[in-house]
Amino acid sequence: MILQQDIPHDYAHCFVGKDNCPKADNCLRAIAAKLFIQSKEPPRPTVNTVNAGYIEQLTTSASCPLYRSSEPLRYAKGMTCLFDELPMKQAAAVRLKVISCFSCERYFYHSRKGDRLITLEEQRKIAKVFRNTGLGITPKFDGYEYVIIW
């Protein structure tokens, strides 16, 4: 369940409504607007919004580039035991390849400790590194979290 306090402060709200947009029920921007309208708290003096004129000019509302799915995505959290099953001779080389799956080495270390969540794309890259070893080992993460991507 999404609450108003979960919405980032400068997040763009879409007030087009479900009558004019078939994806409004599952769009984070439309949900943010709906929560804003229904809120019993004193309203903020300003709110960031999607231009309704822009939405009207789209050929189909299904092609809206501003659509954000409200479906939570599965992120991995922590990988302290990722290399445990690898033979010692291959562990160092595989570790370097896994580090390259991240945009910077720092992200690798933060992700390893669980301080930073591991994106779906990074999980796929890590799985590919393990597949390429030919050992039949699948990467094991410490846990998973479902997160809404605003």
Side-chain angles (χ1 to χ4, degrees):
M1 179 175 180
I2 299 172
L3 303 173
Q4 187 166 6
Q5 59 261 29
D6 298 334
I7 302 168
H9 180 69
D10 287 335
Y11 197 69
H13 295 53
C14 183
F15 293 93
V16 171
K18 66 180 180 180
D19 295 337
N20 298 319
C21 178
K23 292 186 171 185
D25 287 337
N26 298 321
C27 180
L28 287 172
R29 298 187 191 285
I31 293 169
K34 182 179 175 184
L35 291 172
F36 180 78
I37 291 168
Q38 294 173 347
S39 176
K40 293 184 169 93
E41 296 176 19
R44 293 185 298 188
T46 61
V47 65
N48 190 4
T49 64
V50 174
N51 182 349
Y54 169 76
I55 299 298
E56 288 174 7
Q57 291 181 356
L58 294 175
T59 54
T60 66
S61 55
S63 66
C64 180
L66 299 174
Y67 171 79
R68 295 292 177 266
S69 174
S70 62
E71 185 72 30
L73 299 177
R74 184 177 174 219
Y75 278 68
K77 183 172 182 170
M79 48 185 182
T80 56
C81 301
L82 189 66
F83 307 107
D84 288 356
E85 294 182 32
L86 288 171
M88 179 109 34
K89 284 185 175 184
Q90 287 184 300
V94 171
R95 181 183 173 91
L96 287 174
K97 289 178 184 174
V98 169
I99 290 173
S100 71
C101 294
F102 296 88
S103 58
C104 68
E105 190 172 346
R106 184 173 167 208
Y107 282 180
F108 165 78
Y109 288 106
H110 285 288
S111 299
R112 184 172 172 268
K113 291 190 311 185
D115 294 340
R116 178 186 174 276
L117 296 176
I118 304 162
T119 67
L120 299 172
E121 183 61 27
E122 291 165 345
Q123 291 175 55
R124 282 188 216 109
K125 288 178 182 179
I126 293 167
K128 183 177 179 184
V129 167
F130 274 75
R131 265 194 314 277
N132 290 342
T133 64
L135 298 172
I137 299 171
T138 55
K140 291 183 178 77
F141 300 101
D142 297 348
Y144 293 92
E145 283 187 19
Y146 286 88
V147 179
I148 292 175
I149 304 303
W150 292 95

